[in-house]
Amino acid sequence: MTHPLLKTYKVGFIGAGHMAQALIKGMVESKLLRPDQILVSNRTPGKPLKLKELYQIQTREHNEQIVEECDIVILAMKPQDLPQAMANLASAFNENQIVISLAAGITMRSLQKMIPQPRLVRLMPNTPSLIGRGVLGVLANKKDEVVTEITKDLFSGLGVILELETEDQFDALMISCSSGTGFVFEMMMYWQDWIIEHGFTPEQAKMMTIETFVGASLLAAQSAGVDIEELQQRVTSKKGVTAAGLNSMRELEIERALRISFEKAALRSQEIARQT
Ligand SMILES: NC(=O)c1ccc[n+]([C@@H]2O[C@H](COP(=O)([O-])OP(=O)(O)OC[C@H]3O[C@@H](n4cnc5c(N)ncnc54)[C@H](OP(=O)(O)O)[C@@H]3O)[C@@H](O)[C@H]2O)c1
């Protein structure tokens, strides 16, 4: 059962780009919110009008109207656009509002400096959220059960939601799950290319790659109480074919290469945070 307050709340989006569109689609189609509970503003008018046409939500010309009318305000513009937008809006927020920032790289400390009044939440979705299979991290500035429950309910249709304790956890989730989706695609591309080199069509290679990744993931997901290492041992016989490949992966230090890539991504995230 969703939190009763959600039935009465108005939820406003500032910014109507890709992420906002995906979230609105999920909220309307899952019937979590009625279209009249959703308000949208954007820098230029085209995207809100399209959303109105698709989902009968409400549009507003100015960001100030969203802040004035909504109980929950979702900041869905790019991180580099956020500070300027907040400079003109900051004083309009009140302490009862919940403000959810989607901006990667804008820390809770910076958000608090920009808009000190409301209850603040950082949300990190990843792109599989578009098909309800996301991993989403939620970090609130204060321990507040109502805020956490409402935020979890609001995004429940998008995937698994993890309540985070620290900014460090938030960054780790961003790198492993959001950037991580891109890292997995990179590996899938290597798989696909190798298969094509052995006489399969690109379509067949794509299907074989996808099914191998999905199959392994679902097997792991459905093997309660069995860890991934154990599952790997079950497909590996001593001195067999899989073992030869795995030994080579270990000799080539694939783990080290991946860890370095994760760390490089983390450094870039810190750099962006400093710039914004
Ligand atoms: N896309 C993802 O997979 C993903 C994943 C995790 C987190 N995020 C986060 O989600 C946020 C949005 O990303 P996105 O991919 O949806 O970006 P996007 O498609 O570029 O959308 C951003 C929207 O914000 C609008 N905007 C910019 N400044 C504004 C202002 N001052 N007032 C009102 N609207 C304004 C833009 O308007 P115009 O139409 O005029 O350009 C645009 O429609 C970012 O902070 C990003 O870090 C995205």
Side-chain angles (χ1 to χ4, degrees), residues 14-20 41-44 47 63 75-79 81 84-85 102-104 123-127 178:
I14 301 184
H18 294 106
M19 225 353 116
S41 67
N42 195 58
R43 186 167 45 194
T44 47
K47 291 171 191 162
N63 297 340
L75 307 176
M77 66 280 269
K78 290 273 186 216
D81 292 322
Q84 206 199 335
L102 305 182
L123 178 86
M124 176 51 60
N126 64 354
T127 39
S178 299

Side-chain angles (χ1 to χ4, degrees), residues 8 11-12 23 48 83 102 118 130 140 142 147 149 165 174 177 184 194 198 200 207-209 229 238 249 269:
T8 61
V11 178
L23 295 177
L102 305 182
L130 298 174
K142 291 185 197 122
V147 173
E149 263 179 55
E165 301 283 330
M174 176 176 73
C177 303
V184 171
W194 190 85
H198 289 77
F200 290 90
M207 178 276 292
M208 288 159 75
T209 304
E229 195 177 352
K238 258 195 184 149
M249 286 171 97
S269 162

Side-chain angles (χ1 to χ4, degrees), residues 12 14 63-64 67 71-77 81-103 106-122 141-142:
I14 301 184
N63 297 340
E64 290 79 0
V67 178
D71 306 280
I72 300 177
V73 177
I74 300 179
L75 307 176
M77 66 280 269
D81 292 322
L82 197 134
Q84 206 199 335
M86 289 306 106
N88 306 324
L89 271 186
S91 58
F93 288 96
N94 70 61
E95 67 229 22
N96 293 320
Q97 280 172 313
I98 301 174
V99 174
I100 302 175
S101 162
L102 305 182
I106 302 223
T107 61
M108 187 61 87
R109 234 174 95 181
S110 309
L111 276 176
Q112 252 162 339
K113 271 194 201 156
M114 283 183 235
I115 34 174
Q117 306 90 325
R119 298 180 279 179
L120 295 171
V121 175
R122 288 188 72 193
N141 67 335
K142 291 185 197 122

Side-chain angles (χ1 to χ4, degrees), residues 124-178:
M124 176 51 60
N126 64 354
T127 39
S129 304
L130 298 174
I131 53 156
R133 292 304 307 249
V135 179
L136 295 93
V138 169
L139 179 72
N141 67 335
K142 291 185 197 122
K143 275 243 169 289
D144 183 333
E145 260 178 44
V146 176
V147 173
T148 318
E149 263 179 55
I150 286 179
T151 310
K152 280 184 170 173
D153 284 347
L154 203 51
F155 301 105
S156 56
L158 303 182
V160 179
I161 302 178
L162 288 163
E163 201 181 322
L164 307 174
E165 301 283 330
T166 64
E167 205 98 40
D168 188 43
Q169 283 185 332
F170 191 91
D171 288 348
L173 182 137
M174 176 176 73
I175 286 152
S176 56
C177 303
S178 299

Side-chain angles (χ1 to χ4, degrees):
M1 214 185 75
T2 51
H3 198 286
L5 279 175
L6 259 189
K7 287 204 163 51
T8 61
Y9 270 5
K10 284 208 154 49
V11 178
F13 285 82
I14 301 184
H18 294 106
M19 225 353 116
Q21 290 169 26
L23 295 177
I24 291 168
K25 181 175 187 278
M27 287 168 182
V28 175
E29 286 182 351
S30 65
K31 299 202 177 352
L32 184 75
L33 297 177
R34 299 180 310 276
D36 64 283
Q37 288 180 278
I38 302 175
L39 283 69
V40 180
S41 67
N42 195 58
R43 186 167 45 194
T44 47
K47 291 171 191 162
L49 290 177
K50 189 103 201 280
L51 282 165
K52 185 176 185 170
E53 214 176 286
L54 281 173
Y55 306 114
Q56 292 77 52
I57 52 109
Q58 302 197 42
T59 59
R60 293 291 180 268
E61 206 175 320
H62 304 292
N63 297 340
E64 290 79 0
Q65 294 169 287
I66 299 285
V67 178
E68 272 163 27
E69 293 180 51
C70 292
D71 306 280
I72 300 177
V73 177
I74 300 179
L75 307 176
M77 66 280 269
K78 290 273 186 216
Q80 60 269 27
D81 292 322
L82 197 134
Q84 206 199 335
M86 289 306 106
N88 306 324
L89 271 186
S91 58
F93 288 96
N94 70 61
E95 67 229 22
N96 293 320
Q97 280 172 313
I98 301 174
V99 174
I100 302 175
S101 162
L102 305 182
I106 302 223
T107 61
M108 187 61 87
R109 234 174 95 181
S110 309
L111 276 176
Q112 252 162 339
K113 271 194 201 156
M114 283 183 235
I115 34 174
Q117 306 90 325
R119 298 180 279 179
L120 295 171
V121 175
R122 288 188 72 193
L123 178 86
M124 176 51 60
N126 64 354
T127 39
S129 304
L130 298 174
I131 53 156
R133 292 304 307 249
V135 179
L136 295 93
V138 169
L139 179 72
N141 67 335
K142 291 185 197 122
K143 275 243 169 289
D144 183 333
E145 260 178 44
V146 176
V147 173
T148 318
E149 263 179 55
I150 286 179
T151 310
K152 280 184 170 173
D153 284 347
L154 203 51
F155 301 105
S156 56
L158 303 182
V160 179
I161 302 178
L162 288 163
E163 201 181 322
L164 307 174
E165 301 283 330
T166 64
E167 205 98 40
D168 188 43
Q169 283 185 332
F170 191 91
D171 288 348
L173 182 137
M174 176 176 73
I175 286 152
S176 56
C177 303
S178 299
S179 305
T181 305
F183 303 160
V184 171
F185 287 145
E186 178 80 9
M187 286 196 283
M188 289 173 81
M189 276 148 48
Y190 305 153
W191 242 258
Q192 201 171 248
D193 289 347
W194 190 85
I195 297 171
I196 292 170
E197 282 165 25
H198 289 77
F200 290 90
T201 65
E203 292 72 30
Q204 286 170 324
K206 187 178 174 192
M207 178 276 292
M208 288 159 75
T209 304
I210 290 172
E211 289 305 316
T212 304
F213 277 75
V214 170
S217 299
L218 286 179
L219 186 63
Q222 290 171 21
S223 303
V226 185
D227 57 32
I228 293 175
E229 195 177 352
E230 163 70 21
L231 287 171
Q232 191 194 49
Q233 280 164 8
R234 288 184 193 172
V235 294
T236 313
S237 43
K238 258 195 184 149
K239 299 197 176 163
V241 177
T242 311
L246 285 174
N247 285 342
S248 172
M249 286 171 97
R250 285 164 195 160
E251 272 164 28
L252 291 166
E253 298 192 75
I254 304 281
E255 183 190 359
R256 200 170 84 89
L258 272 177
R259 277 178 175 269
I260 292 172
S261 309
F262 278 43
E263 296 304 332
K264 285 264 159 75
L267 284 176
R268 178 65 188 137
S269 162
Q270 287 156 17
E271 200 176 274
I272 294 171
R274 273 196 303 276
Q275 283 164 3
T276 49

